[in-house]
Amino acid sequence: MSSHLGEYTYEIEKIQKYFETVTQYTTYEISVMASCLFLFSTETILVLIGEWDRRISKKHSYSFQTINNILAFYLNAVQLCLERQEVEATSKILKSLEIYDLELPNRVYYRLMEKYYKSLLDMVLKETTNKDIEKIYDLFLFLGYERKSETLKRNTENLLKLNKCRDSLQK
């Protein structure tokens, strides 16, 4: 996909410029940006997350849907940082998730994905298996989400291989 991005330089620049000028992030901006994260540097993503963390910490009132979009943004950012082999940024984003109330029953998916990524990060850092990750696969299977379980398994394998390459290059 990245080989074709050069064909859309104008559009990419327009999207990036638009987000540079946004002063108030609504559900729309958060949702669109979560889908276009690959266009932004990890530094830009971390700045945005830091800003949202400050606003959420100050108890600004946000709709349930806006918070869900922010959580989706965070999970997409974690995935992207792992793909970019940026383990430290991944840890920061996962730490930021702690300020959100993931205890609500209708946020079970976000809690599962948070635990999945924390387990995956643990596997990357320690180069060992993590039993919690298997429980997460099984839970998705139990709930009838076979495709999601298989996708997570493939994602785990791919990210572990990718980050193993990172480690061998740093030695």
Side-chain angles (χ1 to χ4, degrees):
M1 182 166 128
S2 61
S3 61
H4 298 291
L5 285 178
E7 298 171 22
Y8 301 100
T9 304
Y10 174 77
E11 291 84 354
I12 291 170
E13 288 174 1
K14 291 289 273 185
I15 292 169
Q16 289 172 327
K17 284 241 184 279
Y18 171 76
F19 282 110
E20 287 173 9
T21 62
V22 171
T23 56
Q24 181 70 33
Y25 280 86
T26 66
T27 298
Y28 169 78
E29 282 84 13
I30 296 166
S31 180
V32 170
M33 189 163 203
S35 299
C36 298
L37 274 180
F38 63 94
L39 299 175
F40 298 91
S41 70
T42 301
E43 182 180 325
T44 299
I45 294 167
L46 290 173
V47 166
L48 279 171
I49 287 174
E51 182 60 31
W52 289 335
D53 288 352
R54 281 187 290 287
R55 289 180 184 193
I56 298 294
S57 303
K58 291 180 180 180
K59 305 289 185 224
H60 280 72
S61 177
Y62 290 96
S63 73
F64 184 81
Q65 187 58 47
T66 299
I67 296 295
N68 283 352
N69 286 339
I70 290 172
L71 293 171
F73 178 96
Y74 280 44
L75 294 177
N76 289 353
V78 166
Q79 175 70 28
L80 184 63
C81 287
L82 283 169
E83 289 172 4
R84 291 177 176 174
Q85 303 170 359
E86 295 175 346
V87 175
E88 190 175 315
T90 302
S91 295
K92 287 179 183 179
I93 298 166
L94 286 170
K95 183 81 173 140
S96 290
L97 273 173
E98 294 173 5
I99 67 169
Y100 294 92
D101 183 8
L102 298 179
E103 299 303 320
L104 297 172
N106 45 9
R107 291 217 170 111
V108 169
Y109 175 78
Y110 299 108
R111 172 64 75 201
L112 283 173
M113 292 306 294
E114 175 194 31
K115 291 206 176 289
Y116 165 75
Y117 281 118
K118 284 183 176 181
S119 298
L120 181 56
L121 182 61
D122 190 51
M123 291 171 70
V124 167
L125 293 172
K126 296 179 181 173
E127 295 184 30
T128 62
T129 58
N130 183 303
K131 294 180 186 203
D132 286 344
I133 213 158
E134 291 294 330
K135 292 177 189 174
I136 293 165
Y137 302 150
D138 292 342
L139 188 53
F140 275 109
L141 281 174
F142 174 75
L143 294 172
Y145 295 103
E146 186 175 330
R147 187 184 300 160
K148 182 67 175 182
S149 179
E150 291 303 317
T151 300
L152 290 177
K153 286 178 185 178
R154 281 192 309 278
N155 189 56
T156 301
E157 291 170 13
N158 292 339
L159 290 173
L160 288 175
K161 286 178 192 171
L162 187 64
N163 281 283
K164 192 171 272 193
C165 291
R166 170 193 58 100
D167 292 341
S168 64
L169 290 173
Q170 289 179 344
K171 291 179 182 174

